[in-house]
Amino acid sequence: MNNRQIFLTHQAQTTDFPLMIEIERAEGVYMYGPEGKSYIDLISGIGVSNVGHRHPKVIAAIQNQLDKYLHLMVYGEYIQSPQTQLAKAIVETLPPSLDNVYFVNSGSEAVEGALKLAKRYTNRAQIISCVNAYHGSSQGALSVGGNEIFKRAYRPLLPGITNVVYGSFTQLSLITENTAAVIMETIQGEAGIMVACKEYFKALRNRCDETGTLLILDEIQAGFGRTGKFWAFEHFGIVPDILVCAKGMGGGMPIGAFIANKEVMSVFKDNPLLGHITTFGGHPVSAVASLATIRVIQEENLLEKVEQKADLIKKLLVHPKIKGIRNKGLMMAVQFESFEVLKPIIDKAIELGVITDWFLFCDDSMRIAPPLVISEAEIEKACEIIMEAINC
């Protein structure tokens, strides 16, 4: 059997209509098929390849670590330089109150850890999350998701979950002294890039403070420079109690983390001890790739041109079929009249060599989230292809 047949026969499927694009190699913003056809990856593997595919500094860090060691011990027992140096580098990007990092393998795992941490620290059970939120597909993460279509087949899920509307001031009153945590995407991703105002985040922070509720911000998609600041919460003048990240932090390697202050994180140490455990969390190869990713973002000044590149995309994508563009930096949603209008455009763009997508809870909008290293010439080429696809 060829790879296509093996994929369909032996690899577990998530839909009846996978994209079925075979990729042989990738570099920068490009992916290449077996016959050499090139594709501009305009979605970064869904928010992962912030520094591009196979960035030379990330590859060099991985190769160097391969000559030292791979997995040694379950997380939290041995002192491993890849983990300690990454933790230090992450903390240096953050306000002083976020000084303790727990490494895991993915965004879903980071959300699970953050939820456990909040419940354990506050000794409360209620969790508030948002309508049309997406935090992952493991059971706890799914429980705080905000779309019943994805949840109903797996109930019963975690009890005590209340959904509120992202950006609604009036519903902040639902946060009470019984609430362990509010978990919220700083910028709603799968809802189609929804951005609340600064005043809302200030009011949210104040309400959490008044009630002793921990604020968990999910920056699995929005973190590591995607919005033009290293962390998206920097746009809004607040600081969360727990921060969740993954996707873009690994430079293409699997890694996630939840971050709090040392006092909050210390509750995992007793009653019971080993209150949260991961075997592969902070895997040394992933950790050095993440550290290299941070260095690339900083040393190549990738944040400086994010807004300029986003503005160029908005300038080039003007068409009667485009109803509007929502964005925070290079986290963008291009809205069309309906999914029926959008889907053929996406299909044609892929055929012409540009990979884009729609959103789980917003299927009338095209996802654009290219690697931060994308050049203006590559943006112009990608947008030209999208415009051609619209006009077909």
Side-chain angles (χ1 to χ4, degrees):
M1 292 191 291
N2 60 29
N3 278 342
R4 181 187 180 92
Q5 292 166 325
I6 295 169
F7 175 82
L8 292 172
T9 304
H10 296 304
Q11 192 168 329
Q13 302 293 299
T14 58
T15 72
D16 287 324
F17 43 88
L19 287 173
M20 298 293 291
I21 301 168
E22 187 171 353
I23 300 299
E24 189 173 77
R25 64 186 180 90
E27 197 86 29
V29 302
Y30 286 95
M31 301 186 295
Y32 300 90
E35 306 301 321
K37 181 175 179 177
S38 66
Y39 301 89
I40 297 176
D41 183 3
L42 217 57
I43 53 176
S44 302
I46 311 297
V48 170
S49 303
N50 284 13
V51 298
H53 294 278
R54 300 184 67 253
H55 191 287
K57 292 179 181 176
V58 174
I59 297 301
I62 291 170
Q63 290 172 336
N64 183 54
Q65 183 59 37
L66 293 178
D67 290 331
K68 295 178 179 178
Y69 55 82
L70 302 181
H71 175 77
L72 298 178
M73 178 58 164
V74 298
Y75 174 79
E77 297 296 333
Y78 293 172
I79 299 171
Q80 301 179 46
S81 178
Q83 293 176 353
T84 60
Q85 293 305 303
L86 175 57
K88 179 176 181 289
I90 289 174
V91 166
E92 287 172 349
T93 70
L94 288 163
S97 60
L98 293 169
D99 63 0
N100 229 236
V101 185
Y102 194 118
F103 293 117
V104 290
N105 302 286
S106 69
S108 288
E109 285 187 54
V111 167
E112 297 286 345
L115 294 174
K116 284 178 64 179
L117 183 62
K119 291 168 75 173
R120 174 69 181 84
Y121 182 77
T122 62
N123 289 314
R124 302 174 183 178
Q126 185 198 35
I127 304 288
I128 289 179
S129 61
C130 289
V131 175
N132 283 340
Y134 183 78
H135 298 288
S137 62
S138 53
Q139 293 222 24
L142 186 61
S143 298
V144 294
N147 191 291
E148 188 61 25
I149 291 172
F150 281 82
K151 297 165 72 167
R152 65 169 65 107
Y154 301 102
R155 291 193 177 279
L157 294 166
L158 287 182
I161 309 298
T162 300
N163 283 154
V164 300
V165 175
Y166 173 83
S168 167
F169 285 86
T170 58
Q171 292 194 318
L172 294 177
S173 63
L174 295 173
I175 304 169
T176 71
E177 285 77 8
N178 296 318
T179 310
V182 175
I183 182 167
M184 183 177 294
E185 297 162 276
T186 311
I187 294 162
Q188 283 199 304
E190 297 309 315
I193 316 303
M194 297 300 173
V195 187
C197 65
K198 190 172 184 178
E199 291 73 21
Y200 172 76
F201 279 103
K202 294 278 191 181
L204 169 65
R205 177 71 271 179
N206 289 339
R207 182 62 181 167
C208 287
D209 290 341
E210 289 169 2
T211 58
T213 300
L214 296 186
L215 175 58
I216 304 171
L217 289 184
D218 175 342
E219 300 213 356
I220 292 168
Q221 287 196 52
F224 276 70
R226 172 59 50 196
T227 67
K229 292 187 181 292
F230 200 95
W231 302 105
F233 70 80
E234 296 177 65
H235 292 285
F236 304 106
I238 64 158
V239 178
D241 299 296
I242 304 174
L243 179 65
V244 175
C245 55
K247 285 189 179 290
M249 76 181 286
M253 292 294 288
I255 189 169
F258 56 102
I259 306 161
N261 69 43
K262 193 167 186 176
E263 178 197 345
V264 172
M265 200 73 82
S266 69
V267 299
F268 279 154
K269 295 192 295 184
D270 66 279
N271 193 28
L273 56 78
L274 300 174
H276 194 67
I277 306 172
T278 172
T279 296
F280 293 111
H283 190 282
V285 177
S286 293
V288 297
S290 182
L291 180 58
T293 297
I294 293 173
R295 298 294 182 240
V296 168
I297 293 170
Q298 294 170 336
E299 293 168 5
E300 298 186 10
N301 300 315
L302 295 185
L303 302 183
E304 291 183 4
K305 292 190 176 180
V306 165
E307 200 59 50
Q308 178 181 327
K309 291 174 181 179
D311 287 343
L312 178 58
I313 291 170
K314 289 190 283 188
K315 177 183 176 182
L316 294 172
L317 292 184
V318 177
H319 192 280
K321 289 185 179 180
I322 294 175
K323 304 305 178 184
I325 298 178
R326 300 180 298 277
N327 80 293
K328 198 68 173 176
L330 285 170
M331 195 173 178
M332 311 184 77
V334 181
Q335 186 170 352
F336 292 80
E337 183 178 333
S338 65
F339 178 73
E340 288 70 29
V341 172
L342 173 61
K343 182 60 165 61
I345 295 169
I346 289 174
D347 292 343
K348 188 63 178 179
I350 292 173
E351 180 186 324
L352 295 172
V354 166
I355 305 288
T356 183
D357 196 8
W358 64 91
F359 299 90
L360 287 178
F361 311 138
C362 184
D363 64 7
D364 65 358
S365 295
M366 175 185 289
R367 184 195 307 266
I368 294 183
L372 307 183
V373 296
I374 193 169
S375 68
E376 291 190 1
E378 289 164 339
I379 288 173
E380 289 169 357
K381 180 179 178 181
C383 289
E384 182 181 336
I385 290 172
I386 290 171
M387 294 296 285
E388 182 179 347
I390 293 172
N391 287 321
C392 283

